[in-house]
Amino acid sequence: MARCSSKSLMSESLVKKLCTAALALAAVAVSSQAISQNAGGTMVMIAQPEPPSLAPYLSTSGPIGLVAPKIYNGLLDYDLDLNPVPELAASWEVSDDGLTVTFKLQEGVTWHDGEPFSSADVQFSIMEVLKKFHPRGPNSFREVSSIDTPDAVTAIFNLERPAPYMMRALSAYESPIVPKHLLEGKDIREAELSGNPVGTGPFKFVEWKKGQYIRLDKNENYWKDGLPLLDRIVARIIPDASTRTAAMESGEVHYGAFGAIPNIDVIRLRDQDDIGVTTDGYAMINPMALIEFDTTRAPFESKALRQAISLSVDRQFLIDNIWFGYGKPATSAMTSNYKPLGLYTPSANYPASPDVAAANALLDEAGLKPDGDGVRATATIDLIPYGEDWRRLGEYMKQAMADIGVKLELRYEDVPTWLKRVYADYDFELNVNYFYQLPDPVIGVQRHYGTDQIRQGTPFVNSARYSNPEVDELLATGAVEVDPVRRGEIYAELQAILAEDMPVVNLFEMEFLTVYNEKLKDHTVSAMGAYGSFDRAWIDD
């Protein structure tokens, strides 16, 4: 598919002609493919755990991401090489100074309730919803000062400063476009849309049987000719890990992503002829397993204690024994996948192997002496409720932290309770979690450490309530620095401070697995993987 840009050396008129022709050819190709594949059928996927809502504009919770992008569209999607491709935006142009991005929208698109989609929906979604309520939206669109809508199919983003990272944040998962007519004038957090979603995507929400399944049916009026191919997607909620594995093995379900099938079972299932396993479809997210602390209260207001925990964790053990070799030890506050961008600097506070002696010496020096039972501190660790692997990680933490005199109790609750405890009530001491660092630190990392990201009630932001004016300044400067060398220096300084303050201990760079029935075809056709639309997926019977 084509991308239009004013930076081309060709004349503007020629660019527009070529883009129009390319888009037309792409549409014909998609339509021809649809005819050649098997249309119809029901795809069954695993939603693990059950989504807390279907409001991707309020939360980036993984289970929401599995379902919502089948209902909603973004302005763009991204191919497997991470290049942007058209979705609701048919084409786009970036001005030479980077301060204006003009999107030409698809024509003839309607919402699932029959109302027409227009540029007003784009303007409302970005300015009134994502910039205000989304966990990452305030950073993704921080430079967008206004959006002009001169006609129904044109949306002009006006930026205070260039923000090239914004163009990586326009997928249905990251920045869903929502219906203005159903949200305007409503309390965004409490609107009925969160449980009864209405989008422009390939599948329409039909039913949510709590604790059992979510049903989506084919959008017969989808704006892409010949798509979707499937008649229905059913997202089954199966709390028990062994039952999920059995359902995949028997063919009852076709698709399980993000660890829905525990790695210990994947090792066995991947040898079956009718089951496939892939790590494709996660290139945009850069997931990082980590520990968050409440840095505002004892015992974790002590950065020495936080550093000691980082020093004493055996990261490779976690990868080898719980995630069965899938992953890479964390060595910084930022993923090593930023290395090609010049934005990654490893730290000695992330040792290649645990150094319990150094951790204990650090705590002794800080005055955190053990009592008669060898206990320096006690705390409850809250585990992200996304499956058995995280329970096992909690058990490891309980044992390993005893070696430095930290006595931990484990708490494992359902997703809504966990989200409320950590992000709404701040009723935790430390928690095991994972964050997407995404393709640029402005989108994925800044929300974790900025003082302005202490946003009570918003999930997956700065729940540590960490505040450092020097860090805030570096984050703000790095976000707008265009010189790659200088930008690398800024983020190197940032990583050094975060390795010292350690408000978050990164554990390992995750490598998710998708397990699927070989009958299911074209399920991973974009960089968004499981967070894609599945409008081209089909079942080969």
Side-chain angles (χ1 to χ4, degrees), residues 28 42 58 103 106 121 158 171 184 190 273 277 299 320 352 378 399 443 466 470 486:
V28 170
T42 296
L58 295 178
F103 293 97
Q106 306 284 355
D121 295 303
N158 302 303
S171 70
E184 188 175 30
E190 301 297 330
D273 291 340
V277 178
D320 292 341
T378 62
Q399 296 176 29
I443 307 171
Y466 170 71
E470 189 175 1
R486 176 58 188 143

Side-chain angles (χ1 to χ4, degrees), residues 42-65:
T42 296
M43 172 200 158
V44 182
M45 64 188 298
I46 298 171
Q48 166 53 35
E50 184 168 16
S53 76
L54 289 177
Y57 49 90
L58 295 178
S59 174
T60 55
S61 173
I64 298 176

Side-chain angles (χ1 to χ4, degrees), residues 272-292:
Q272 295 187 196
D273 291 340
D274 61 340
I275 291 179
V277 178
T278 183
T279 57
D280 290 343
Y282 300 103
M284 284 289 286
I285 61 176
N286 286 323
M288 181 76 77
L290 49 86
I291 303 168
E292 291 182 297

Side-chain angles (χ1 to χ4, degrees), residues 382 411 413 415-429:
D382 287 281
R411 184 160 53 201
E413 301 172 306
V415 175
T417 303
W418 179 81
L419 286 170
K420 183 176 184 295
R421 180 183 297 281
V422 174
Y423 295 105
D425 297 340
Y426 296 141
D427 181 22
F428 75 100
E429 294 165 297

Side-chain angles (χ1 to χ4, degrees), residues 203-513:
F203 297 94
K204 300 171 67 171
F205 173 77
V206 175
E207 182 183 18
W208 186 350
K209 191 78 168 178
K210 294 294 179 80
Q212 298 184 42
Y213 62 84
I214 298 169
R215 174 182 161 185
L216 312 178
D217 282 2
K218 179 176 184 174
N219 176 12
E220 298 288 354
N221 297 314
Y222 191 43
W223 51 273
K224 293 184 184 179
D225 290 341
L227 298 178
L229 298 176
L230 294 166
D231 285 338
R232 180 175 299 121
I233 292 178
V234 175
R236 283 187 57 189
I237 293 96
I238 308 175
D240 180 68
S242 61
T243 305
R244 294 196 298 272
T245 299
M248 177 63 69
E249 193 167 12
S250 68
E252 291 178 37
V253 301
H254 301 101
Y255 187 87
F258 291 96
I261 306 300
N263 285 22
I264 189 172
D265 293 330
V266 173
I267 303 304
R268 174 175 57 84
L269 294 183
R270 67 186 179 186
D271 293 331
Q272 295 187 196
D273 291 340
D274 61 340
I275 291 179
V277 178
T278 183
T279 57
D280 290 343
Y282 300 103
M284 284 289 286
I285 61 176
N286 286 323
M288 181 76 77
L290 49 86
I291 303 168
E292 291 182 297
F293 304 96
D294 185 339
T295 64
T296 68
R297 64 178 181 177
F300 297 110
E301 86 286 4
S302 167
K303 72 178 182 181
L305 181 54
R306 303 192 300 262
Q307 289 177 6
I309 289 175
S310 182
L311 290 172
S312 59
V313 171
D314 191 335
R315 293 169 168 83
Q316 192 62 52
F317 178 90
L318 296 175
I319 295 167
D320 292 341
N321 293 281
I322 300 179
W323 274 267
F324 289 84
Y326 291 98
K328 183 178 179 181
T331 51
S332 167
M334 287 164 53
T335 174
S336 63
N337 290 334
Y338 288 158
K339 188 173 182 179
L341 303 177
L343 303 179
Y344 161 73
T345 305
S347 167
N349 278 344
Y350 285 88
S353 57
D355 193 338
V356 174
N360 277 310
L362 180 65
L363 294 174
D364 288 339
E365 184 180 350
L368 294 171
K369 302 292 186 181
D371 62 17
D373 296 322
V375 176
R376 303 176 191 267
T378 62
T380 297
I381 182 169
D382 287 281
L383 309 176
I384 188 170
Y386 283 12
E388 294 303 312
D389 292 341
W390 299 100
R391 287 180 184 265
R392 287 192 281 269
L393 191 154
E395 292 292 345
Y396 164 81
M397 289 294 299
K398 184 174 182 177
Q399 296 176 29
M401 293 306 100
D403 293 338
I404 61 170
V406 177
K407 184 178 180 180
L408 294 179
E409 294 297 328
L410 310 183
R411 184 160 53 201
Y412 190 91
E413 301 172 306
D414 61 33
V415 175
T417 303
W418 179 81
L419 286 170
K420 183 176 184 295
R421 180 183 297 281
V422 174
Y423 295 105
D425 297 340
Y426 296 141
D427 181 22
F428 75 100
E429 294 165 297
L430 74 165
N431 77 81
V432 168
N433 200 344
Y434 69 88
F435 266 51
Y436 298 157
Q437 296 208 344
L438 301 165
D440 190 281
V442 176
I443 307 171
V445 176
Q446 190 151 337
R447 64 195 168 109
H448 222 159
Y449 302 107
T451 302
D452 63 350
Q453 295 304 301
I454 304 173
R455 301 161 55 204
Q456 190 167 9
T458 299
F460 302 107
V461 291
N462 184 358
S463 68
R465 290 183 281 176
Y466 170 71
S467 180
N468 183 327
E470 189 175 1
V471 166
D472 292 340
E473 178 62 28
L474 289 169
L475 289 170
T477 305
V480 298
E481 179 57 61
V482 294
D483 176 54
V485 174
R486 176 58 188 143
R487 195 174 192 229
E489 293 170 348
I490 291 168
Y491 280 107
E493 188 176 352
L494 173 68
Q495 288 165 89
I497 295 172
L498 293 175
E500 174 69 20
D501 288 356
M502 205 66 76
V504 172
V505 168
N506 285 343
L507 296 173
F508 60 95
E509 298 173 12
M510 303 181 71
E511 190 173 26
F512 283 119
L513 299 176

